[in-house]
Amino acid sequence: MSNPNLLLFPGLLCDRRLWQAQVDGLRHSAECVVADVASADSVAAMASAAVAKMPPGPFAVAGLSMGGYVALEVMRLAAPRVIGLALLDTSARPDSDQATADRRRMMKLAETDFDRVVNALLPKLLLPAHMRDAKIVATVKAMAASTGKAAYLRQQEAIIGRIDSRPHLAKIACPTLVLCGKEDTLTPVALHQEMANAIAGSRLVIADQCGHLSPLEQPQLVTMNLVHWLSGLKR
C-alpha cells in the first residue's frame, strides 16, 4: 500500500524548515507537501491554494498554530478527501479583542522595525532552555527573515480574520491527533483539551519541555506521534 499524501501547514513567520525533521522522519510513512502560507491574507485563501496543489485523491493534513487554523479550514473545504487531521500548538477559537489589538500594535511596529518584532516574538515561541539553543534560534530567525515583513502583515490579517472553528469540531470524523507543548503560553494546554474533547476519538498528546514550536523543540516526539497517527489512517 502506498504512503498517504500529507499536507503540512507552518505557522506565523515559519516555512518548511519548521517541519524539516518531520519530513525527514516520515519519509517511510508519508509523501509530505509543505504548504506556502506566505502569499495569502486569509485562512480560506491559504487553504484553497494548498488543496489545489495537492495530487488527486485523499490526503492527511497537519498544521501548527496559524497552520492549525488553516488545517481546520481544509476540513471545511475538502472534508471528503481528508483521511486524517493533526492539530499542533493551535486553537479552534477566533481571535480575542485583546489579541487583535496586540497584533495591530506589532504590525505597526513591523512597518519600521521588523527585527524588533521577531526578537519580541522569540521568547513567546520557545522555552527559555531552547532560547539558549543557538541552532533552534537561528532556524526561527532564518524562517522569519525569509518570510519577511510583507508576508508577516498578510499572515496577521489572516489570523485576525479567522472564524470560530469550535462549532465545526464535532463534524470531524477522521483520525485526529491533538498535540501541544506543556509550556506553550500562546496556545495553552486547555485549548487543546477543548479541541480533543469536541472531536470524537481524537488523541491528545502533551509534550514535556516544550513551548509553542513543538516540531523544532521536540522533533523526535512529534515525529513519533505523527508516525503513530499516520499508521491508523484508512486509505
Side-chain angles (χ1 to χ4, degrees), residues 89 180-185 188-189 206-211:
D89 298 279
C180 175
K182 188 175 182 179
E183 290 81 25
D184 186 341
T185 58
V189 170
I206 309 300
D208 289 332
Q209 293 298 304
C210 188

Side-chain angles (χ1 to χ4, degrees), residues 2-20:
S2 61
N3 289 333
N5 291 310
L6 172 58
L7 177 58
L8 296 161
F9 286 103
L12 176 72
L13 286 177
C14 295
D15 57 25
R16 68 173 293 110
R17 282 168 281 193
L18 174 75
W19 294 109
Q20 193 57 56

Side-chain angles (χ1 to χ4, degrees), residues 1-230:
M1 186 178 295
S2 61
N3 289 333
N5 291 310
L6 172 58
L7 177 58
L8 296 161
F9 286 103
L12 176 72
L13 286 177
C14 295
D15 57 25
R16 68 173 293 110
R17 282 168 281 193
L18 174 75
W19 294 109
Q20 193 57 56
Q22 288 70 49
V23 171
D24 294 341
L26 295 172
R27 62 188 179 275
H28 299 304
S29 302
E31 300 297 329
C32 294
V33 177
V34 181
D36 169 24
V37 291
S39 302
D41 64 358
S42 76
V43 166
M46 291 176 185
S48 60
V51 169
K53 292 181 180 179
M54 289 299 288
F59 62 92
V61 59
L64 177 133
S65 196
M66 180 188 73
Y69 313 150
V70 186
L72 286 166
E73 181 66 26
V74 170
M75 289 303 307
R76 292 185 284 272
L77 177 69
R81 294 181 61 192
V82 179
I83 56 173
L85 173 66
L87 301 168
L88 287 76
D89 298 279
T90 189
S91 169
R93 297 187 174 199
D95 222 31
S96 67
D97 291 343
Q98 183 60 57
T100 294
D102 291 343
R103 292 186 204 284
R104 295 289 183 203
R105 180 172 52 83
M106 296 306 285
M107 290 164 74
K108 186 175 182 181
L109 176 60
E111 295 283 6
T112 56
D113 197 344
F114 180 59
D115 287 343
R116 187 175 168 191
V117 170
V118 173
N119 288 330
L121 190 58
L122 271 168
K124 299 177 182 178
L125 298 175
L126 302 171
L127 281 189
H130 296 139
M131 285 291 292
R132 296 189 291 272
D133 186 317
K135 184 177 179 181
I136 292 177
V137 171
T139 298
V140 176
K141 286 187 172 182
M143 290 193 297
S146 294
T147 302
K149 178 178 70 176
Y152 167 77
L153 296 175
R154 288 192 291 271
Q155 290 176 341
Q156 288 285 42
E157 289 291 354
I159 292 170
I160 289 168
R162 75 185 188 274
I163 70 167
D164 187 348
S165 289
R166 288 173 293 179
H168 304 273
L169 295 178
K171 301 174 187 175
I172 296 172
C174 61
T176 301
L177 169 66
V178 181
L179 188 149
C180 175
K182 188 175 182 179
E183 290 81 25
D184 186 341
T185 58
L186 287 179
T187 52
V189 170
L191 294 177
H192 297 77
Q193 292 170 328
E194 178 179 66
M195 292 187 290
N197 289 341
I199 302 172
S202 62
R203 179 168 171 262
L204 176 64
V205 175
I206 309 300
D208 289 332
Q209 293 298 304
C210 188
H212 190 61
L213 296 184
S214 54
L216 287 177
E217 295 186 84
Q218 293 294 344
Q220 290 179 320
L221 181 140
V222 169
T223 300
M224 178 186 70
N225 279 283
L226 289 175
V227 169
H228 179 273
W229 164 69
L230 288 163

